[in-house]
Amino acid sequence: MKVHAQVSDQKIMDYGLPKRSSRPETKRARTANQRIPKWAYLLFVLLAGFVTYRIYQHRATEVKAAQPTPRPASVAKVITKNVPLYLDEIGTCAAYETVQVPAQVSGVIIGRHFQDGSEVKKGDLLFTIDPRPFQAVLDQAKAQAALDEVTLKRQEDLRARKVVAQQDYDIALANAQKSKAATEAAQVNLDYCFIKSPINGRIGLRNVDVGNLVGPSGSPLVTIQGLDPIYTDFTVAENDLPLVRKYLGGPNVKVETYLADGSIPPRVGDLYFIDYAVQPGSGTVKARGVAPNPDLALWPSEFVLVRFILDTLKDATLVPTQAVQISQAGPFVFVVKSDNTVELRPVTPGQRQQGDLTVIEKGVKPDETVVVTGQLALSPGAKIAPQPYAPDGTADSKSAMSYE
């Protein structure tokens, strides 16, 4: 009962008094808000943004520092090109023609018309043997031939009148023919007194001088060698014979001859001869090529390098030779991806080619990029800083990528 009374009294009091208004409190709140200026909010936002930026920058620096630095490496494109299939051999040169010039008649040499070691042409006069005895024999033979010819004509006239025996006419005819033959022989012997070069070539050291008595049974007077074209003699190993037989007789078979020091351009010629038997003991087959030698840079018996070209590989895949590395698993190259990371790619290398290139039979595709130098610091997935590779060691991107 007391509780009800107190509640009732409270209600009476509440209804009897006017209610308290909330407006003064709202005004105080607005007054408090007006005391904080707007630039303070702006400053707060700027400070918060700056702190956030510095936090992200610090984290990015830490992440960048944690990543490895890209390794510098020179790279080149994989190219395609027609290249030869060949065998490299060692050979020697041999003269295309060798002539030992003899004396064909006996007599004393009265003239020499060349310099030892000089170039001579076919028909050039080399020696002169005293022609006077042979000229006398020729004159005598001509006189006898003229007399026999007159006698033959007289016999022909008498025969036409049938006042001469057939035997007399036959004797006159035989004498005329014999005199003519003697004249021709005397002319040949006289011509032999003027010894001329039978070929174009280089003449060697003379074996006789002016004043020497020479004859058909004596030693050669001089030797002449024809050097353009020139032979190249080499051998093919028995193990390479199956490959050689496969392409022998083909249109692309060539013999390329060059010096080891590279002082002359390679001479490309044809295969002239290949033996039909393997040499016992050496296990090789003799072969000979013939090549042009217009400048006479190749000499007989000179050692040369020979590239026996068997065929042409169409559109072969090529990379710089330095790009091919060897591991325990075999040959490989580092292929550069689009994000400059590298991939270890096993390959099957073929022959080395001119220009420091190597044929890749399997493992890479044209227009892919491979690492040429700097492989020792790389591993699969590593990132590189690619630089164009040039064969001469300079950063020339045009020559590095083309290799033409």
Side-chain angles (χ1 to χ4, degrees), residues 79-316:
I79 65 172
T80 58
K81 191 177 181 182
N82 295 341
V83 295
L85 174 66
Y86 62 89
L87 298 173
D88 278 339
E89 309 291 348
I90 298 176
T92 57
C93 292
Y96 187 75
E97 295 176 298
T98 301
V99 177
Q100 294 181 338
V101 181
Q104 294 178 277
V105 293
S106 298
V108 177
I109 294 178
I110 62 173
R112 174 174 63 88
H113 311 283
F114 66 90
Q115 180 67 34
D116 293 347
S118 62
E119 299 294 325
V120 295
K121 300 294 184 182
K122 183 177 180 179
D124 287 352
L125 183 61
L126 304 179
F127 294 98
T128 300
I129 296 176
D130 188 359
R132 291 173 297 177
F134 302 96
Q135 183 66 55
V137 172
L138 176 62
D139 294 342
Q140 183 179 2
K142 286 181 177 180
Q144 184 64 44
L147 178 61
D148 291 339
E149 186 68 25
V150 172
T151 302
L152 177 62
K153 285 184 179 181
R154 185 180 298 113
Q155 292 295 328
E156 287 177 349
D157 293 339
L158 294 174
R159 183 188 177 195
R161 293 193 297 239
K162 297 182 179 180
V163 295
V164 68
Q166 181 66 31
Q167 183 179 1
D168 294 338
Y169 171 79
D170 292 340
I171 293 173
L173 178 61
N175 289 335
Q177 292 177 344
K178 184 169 61 174
S179 299
K180 182 180 179 181
T183 302
E184 293 174 351
Q187 182 65 58
V188 170
N189 288 332
L190 178 63
D191 292 340
Y192 283 156
C193 293
F194 304 94
I195 301 174
K196 299 178 181 180
S197 174
I199 61 170
N200 298 332
R202 175 169 288 179
I203 200 163
L205 286 172
R206 66 187 185 278
N207 296 324
V208 294
D209 290 309
V210 174
N212 282 268
L213 178 63
V214 296
S217 60
S219 60
L221 307 182
V222 73
T223 300
I224 304 174
Q225 291 184 324
L227 304 182
D228 182 28
I230 195 167
Y231 288 130
T232 301
D233 294 330
F234 60 98
T235 58
V236 177
E238 184 178 0
N239 296 336
D240 295 326
L241 283 180
L243 181 64
V244 172
R245 282 196 294 263
K246 180 179 178 181
Y247 296 101
L248 198 60
N252 298 322
V253 176
K254 298 291 181 182
V255 177
E256 192 175 273
T257 305
Y258 55 99
L259 297 179
D261 59 1
S263 58
I264 63 171
R267 308 296 167 86
V268 180
D270 298 320
L271 181 66
Y272 178 79
F273 163 80
I274 187 166
D275 206 351
Y276 54 84
V278 178
Q279 299 297 313
S282 63
T284 58
V285 174
K286 292 181 179 180
R288 167 174 278 188
V290 57
N293 190 33
D295 56 355
L296 306 184
L298 299 176
W299 287 8
S301 301
E302 183 177 17
F303 281 97
V304 291
L305 300 180
V306 179
R307 177 160 288 184
F308 187 17
I309 300 174
L310 302 174
D311 198 9
T312 299
L313 303 177
K314 301 290 185 179
D315 296 327

Side-chain angles (χ1 to χ4, degrees), residues 302-362:
E302 183 177 17
F303 281 97
V304 291
L305 300 180
V306 179
R307 177 160 288 184
F308 187 17
I309 300 174
L310 302 174
D311 198 9
T312 299
L313 303 177
K314 301 290 185 179
D315 296 327
T317 303
L318 301 169
V319 300
T321 301
Q322 290 180 266
V324 181
Q325 302 292 302
I326 304 296
S327 66
Q328 293 181 349
F332 70 92
V333 297
F334 280 113
V335 178
V336 183
K337 298 182 179 180
S338 58
D339 59 354
N340 288 339
T341 59
V342 297
E343 172 191 354
L344 190 149
R345 188 87 59 82
V347 295
T348 303
Q351 288 184 322
R352 291 188 62 172
Q353 299 293 332
Q354 190 175 8
D356 197 27
L357 298 175
T358 295
V359 175
I360 301 298
E361 299 176 355
K362 183 180 179 182

